[in-house]
Amino acid sequence: MNTEAESPSRIPPLKSIGVAGFKSIRDKQSIAIAPLTILAGANSSGKSSVMQPLLLMKQTLEAPFDPGALAIAGPYTNFTRIDQMLFRSKSHELSNSVTEIQVELVLDSNESVEVDYSVGGGIGEGPFYLKSQKFSHPLGTYTINPYVNEMELMKRLNSIRRFEADPGEISTNKYKLMFKRKRCFFEGRLSRASGGESGTIDVTSPYISNMIFNLLGLIYVPARRGDSARSYPIASVERFFPGMFPHYFPSLINKWIKESADEKNRLETAMRDLGFGAKIQARPSTASDVELFVSRLGDQDIHDGSDDLVNLADVGIGVAQALPVITALIAAHSGGIVYIDQPELHLHPRAQITMAKLLADAAEKGVRVVVETHSELLLLSIQTLVAEGYLSPRDVKLHWFERDKRTGVTTVASADLDSTGRFGDWPEDFGDTSLTAEGRYLDAAEARLSVEAL
Amino acid sequence: MIDRRSKLLVIDASVARSSGGSETLEPTAKACRERLKTILDVRHRMMMSQPIREEWNKHQSNYARTWRRNMYARKLIEIVNVPEDETFRNKIRLKAANTKNMEAMIKDCHLIEAASIADRIVISRDDEVRDLFRSVAQDFKVLQGIAWINPVDPAADVVAWLAAGANLNDRPKLTPTTNEGDTGQ
């Protein structure tokens, strides 16, 4: 794919994602992607279900072979059966006849593509086949599917895309339209029936290449970020990071230490702000491995000049788990999505407050940071950064996921922050939960004190 | 959109103080927490003037702080500049039976001033000052329209009243039994 040659600054970033038919999501649920997008909700409420289809498409694009329209197992997902992926109702009230997964990607340029993956690809096609692909463009929409009227589509394409093909020539069959699946998308060419390669027009470009660029550029930092290791395999660090990002962070750090003082300084500043050792070193242990060393005693080493460095495996797990997050936020390009599952994991509450600022800093830089979180403190810290004027409320979107207890269907409620960090009547329950917990503790403690005082 | 049941309440810092902290041996703390939680759950709103805020900042328990933060995040706290009503205060100074009563009422005039431009409901644990206002209410039309609710009054079933929409007319006002001598205000 030629997407590597594209100038990143010209690629419109994703501004919303819609998903239907996938796991607990029945009807289409859409979420807007802001520079800082918060996904919250109880366990198994469907937070991941809205992002996983992107990971499915990403692993389909990154697969070293053509896995069909959707690679259901790979570095990001490990489905083994189709029924694990499709919506299934817990209730008899809803039909279980969902046989399609629909994904809609909308770019900042207001171009969108809605792709339907349907069950039953058949032998040689993979578990899903690409059923249809609908483009929406400010000038109009058109849909590609196996039953499309080619002539009508060509006319429509020509009116939208202005290929400068003479409508008369289209109607006299001088042009031929051909579509073929390229991994998880249709790509199409319009060519003169009698012409050579020079007469062809890629009718799905640049939309599809823009979508592919966004998907390949997505950085996913999962909740399980790997164990602390004594050494890490060296990985090639270029523009894209195929596979799990935690494979790359040691090599990125190694590269920054050698070549980029700016990134290294940002990394060390973030580490110091989080309360970790403020120095980091990378040393190749073999030709194919690198070891990471961090200072052990906070920023003390800066003052006394000593280098009290220890292997990353010998410090608390919080450091090893936070490093992939910090590294991803620094490495991401403007417009690129960094999707982080629970950035607060293993962090002391003070460090969670700092983590909110690191997320805000990346968002300010233009990165689209999508965060799944269970941390009330992280959310409160983001509200505080907005109220303090550090983060623009326009740069934050909150999405709350809930599942209907009877039917199991996920719905998403979204909210914006105002300039004081308030979100209004969003069904956020962190606060309710902590208030209830605080009240419950006080009730119990007071009751016991009352008995003891008698 | 604000629920029609939602009322704009004036909640005295005495409730915030009683919801935890030094009064932990009293059952009132639990009751106060329950009332505050009901206010949040029903989506009533709180009027926050400068003097109310100062009093809350001084006296609020940790529970009340968490409650206040939740109310604020849900846009249920309305920050309003409520100017002191000098006419009202001067009249209180004149009508108070003695200096002690006068000082007690002047200290809490800000609650009446705030409630009079909100939904005329004061939630406070201070029965003494309530009785003082009631004692002079015949001379103050503004007081006669105020419902002063002690949230832990066992006879008042405050939780049910709050849950049902905190209807002003379901609660006695500071109105004296007769309206004689009503000079307005």
Side-chain angles (χ1 to χ4, degrees):
Chain A
M1 292 167 200
N2 294 326
T3 45
E4 306 235 10
E6 298 275 4
S7 164
S9 59
R10 287 178 21 221
I11 305 296
L14 275 175
K15 80 168 186 182
S16 82
I17 301 163
V19 173
F22 184 68
K23 293 176 81 175
S24 61
I25 300 175
R26 180 175 179 259
D27 302 319
K28 188 164 86 175
Q29 300 293 309
S30 297
I31 60 164
I33 303 292
L36 182 49
T37 303
I38 308 294
L39 312 181
N43 296 112
S44 299
S45 58
K47 298 184 295 293
S48 304
S49 300
V50 82
M51 293 298 290
Q52 267 188 347
L54 268 69
L55 297 178
L56 281 167
M57 294 165 90
K58 180 173 162 67
Q59 78 187 5
T60 305
L61 293 165
E62 290 172 353
F65 54 90
D66 182 1
L70 275 185
I72 66 170
Y76 311 119
T77 67
N78 60 353
F79 298 109
T80 52
R81 294 195 318 269
I82 286 169
D83 63 317
Q84 296 160 350
M85 304 170 69
L86 292 172
F87 171 80
R88 280 184 302 161
S89 174
K90 286 164 56 184
S91 162
H92 295 300
E93 295 166 36
L94 296 176
S95 158
N96 277 330
S97 61
V98 173
T99 56
E100 288 175 21
I101 296 169
Q102 189 182 77
V103 186
E104 182 189 48
L105 306 175
V106 184
L107 303 181
D108 261 3
S109 55
N110 285 327
E111 294 154 354
S112 70
V113 61
E114 189 178 285
V115 200
D116 284 8
Y117 301 103
S118 187
V119 174
I123 296 168
E125 288 190 69
F128 287 88
Y129 73 94
L130 188 48
K131 184 180 176 189
S132 78
Q133 180 169 296
K134 178 180 168 189
F135 287 101
S136 292
H137 182 277
L139 293 174
T141 64
Y142 62 95
T143 302
I144 302 164
N145 62 49
Y147 313 106
V148 69
N149 180 319
E150 191 175 309
M151 195 64 72
E152 284 301 311
L153 179 59
M154 271 198 286
K155 286 180 185 170
R156 189 153 183 75
L157 273 170
N158 200 33
S159 68
I160 295 169
R161 296 290 313 277
R162 306 193 193 293
F163 298 120
E164 297 175 357
D166 182 338
E169 289 191 331
I170 285 178
S171 63
T172 54
N173 290 337
K174 288 198 174 175
Y175 278 84
K176 182 154 183 62
L177 189 59
M178 287 189 59
F179 286 100
K180 64 175 182 181
R181 181 186 61 78
K182 192 166 181 184
R183 301 291 171 104
C184 49
F185 294 108
F186 279 126
E187 290 191 336
R189 289 186 176 278
L190 185 68
S191 58
R192 281 181 178 280
S194 58
E197 187 65 24
S198 61
T200 64
I201 303 166
D202 184 348
V203 297
T204 46
S205 178
Y207 312 134
I208 289 303
S209 54
N210 286 348
M211 301 294 170
I212 290 172
F213 191 94
N214 272 289
L215 290 166
L216 292 177
L218 188 155
I219 294 175
Y220 175 46
V221 185
R224 300 171 77 171
R225 292 162 201 151
D227 298 326
S228 301
R230 296 241 154 245
S231 65
Y232 297 86
I234 290 175
S236 167
V237 284
E238 303 295 338
R239 173 159 185 81
F240 297 126
F241 303 99
M244 290 298 218
F245 183 78
H247 291 308
Y248 295 94
F249 83 92
S251 299
L252 267 170
I253 292 171
N254 187 32
K255 182 181 176 186
W256 293 341
I257 288 169
K258 286 179 180 160
E259 298 175 6
S260 176
D262 179 44
E263 271 96 346
K264 176 177 177 280
N265 288 340
R266 287 172 58 194
L267 177 66
E268 290 187 338
T269 301
M271 289 179 63
R272 186 168 55 243
D273 291 348
L274 285 165
F276 304 155
K279 275 195 175 179
I280 188 159
Q281 281 189 8
R283 297 174 196 154
S285 51
T286 67
S288 60
D289 288 279
V290 63
E291 285 181 85
L292 291 180
F293 295 87
V294 294
S295 48
R296 195 169 47 166
L297 298 172
D299 57 0
Q300 194 178 4
D301 50 322
I302 286 176
H303 303 302
D304 66 12
S306 65
D307 277 347
D308 186 16
L309 296 174
V310 291
N311 190 293
L312 187 59
D314 297 324
V315 294
I317 189 170
V319 184
Q321 294 294 299
L323 269 178
V325 176
I326 309 169
T327 312
L329 293 171
I330 295 172
H333 294 268
S334 179
I337 289 181
V338 177
Y339 167 32
I340 307 167
D341 195 352
Q342 299 174 68
E344 70 271 14
L345 276 185
H346 303 287
L347 293 181
H348 183 277
R350 271 196 304 275
Q352 292 187 34
I353 295 169
T354 303
M355 180 55 77
K357 182 175 171 294
L358 298 178
L359 300 174
D361 287 342
E364 190 70 18
K365 200 180 78 172
V367 177
R368 307 235 158 167
V369 183
V370 180
V371 168
E372 267 187 61
T373 183
H374 292 294
S375 169
E376 179 186 11
L377 191 55
L378 190 80
L379 177 60
L380 178 62
S381 304
I382 290 165
Q383 290 176 260
T384 306
L385 291 171
V386 168
E388 289 173 346
Y390 188 84
L391 178 64
S392 166
R394 286 190 304 277
D395 288 347
V396 184
K397 271 278 180 195
L398 308 175
H399 302 291
W400 179 259
F401 292 70
E402 264 179 317
R403 280 183 84 175
D404 185 282
K405 286 185 175 62
R406 208 176 61 253
T407 62
V409 173
T410 288
T411 52
V412 185
S414 301
D416 295 309
L417 294 182
D418 67 11
S419 60
T420 62
R422 301 179 304 172
F423 46 70
D425 209 14
W426 192 50
E428 181 266 346
D429 76 349
F430 295 155
D432 290 338
T433 304
S434 63
L435 196 65
T436 302
E438 206 161 332
R440 187 177 155 198
Y441 168 69
L442 289 171
D443 289 352
E446 287 163 11
R448 184 167 288 274
L449 284 169
S450 299
V451 169
E452 289 172 0
L454 289 176
Chain B
M1 186 185 294
I2 293 168
D3 190 310
R4 278 192 310 169
R5 292 187 309 160
S6 173
K7 296 292 188 303
L8 185 55
L9 308 172
V10 169
I11 305 170
D12 183 33
S14 58
V15 182
R17 183 181 55 228
S18 295
S19 62
S22 59
E23 299 190 34
T24 50
L25 286 180
E26 293 187 17
T28 51
K30 184 177 179 181
C32 282
R33 289 194 292 274
E34 191 182 13
R35 276 55 167 176
L36 288 172
K37 185 72 166 57
T38 304
I39 287 168
L40 173 64
D41 291 344
V42 178
R43 303 289 191 261
H44 288 307
R45 291 157 293 137
M46 177 186 177
M47 167 82 101
M48 187 67 90
S49 66
Q50 183 64 24
I52 294 173
R53 182 161 59 227
E54 286 168 7
E55 289 294 308
W56 268 69
N57 287 345
K58 249 188 268 178
H59 300 298
Q60 67 191 346
S61 66
N62 284 340
Y63 181 89
R65 183 185 293 113
T66 305
W67 176 87
R68 182 176 160 190
R69 191 238 302 163
N70 275 281
M71 288 285 286
Y72 189 76
R74 293 180 186 279
K75 301 185 182 176
L76 296 173
I77 289 184
E78 299 199 3
I79 309 284
V80 180
N81 180 28
V82 184
E84 290 184 2
D85 184 340
E86 276 312 311
T87 310
F88 171 57
R89 289 174 182 238
N90 284 335
K91 199 166 163 184
I92 287 284
R93 288 183 185 104
L94 282 174
K95 297 290 179 182
N98 55 50
T99 306
K100 186 181 163 210
N101 290 0
M102 184 267 286
E103 286 175 349
M105 284 192 282
I106 290 292
K107 183 173 168 295
D108 277 353
C109 271
H110 68 278
L111 300 175
I112 302 295
E113 289 159 349
S116 67
I117 59 168
D119 282 323
R120 290 182 286 162
I121 296 166
V122 174
I123 297 181
S124 169
R125 287 210 54 229
D126 194 339
D127 288 346
E128 281 182 27
V129 78
R130 177 198 62 194
D131 292 343
L132 290 176
F133 280 128
R134 186 175 280 160
S135 72
V136 298
Q138 63 184 13
D139 293 321
F140 294 87
K141 198 171 178 180
V142 66
L143 291 178
Q144 294 168 21
I146 302 288
W148 185 290
I149 315 289
N150 185 336
V152 297
D153 179 355
D157 200 1
V158 175
V159 168
W161 174 72
L162 287 166
N167 191 339
L168 181 70
N169 295 325
D170 292 345
R171 283 290 175 263
K173 317 292 183 307
L174 292 173
T175 315
T177 48
T178 60
N179 282 339
E180 59 189 20
D182 181 5
T183 57
Q185 191 282 124

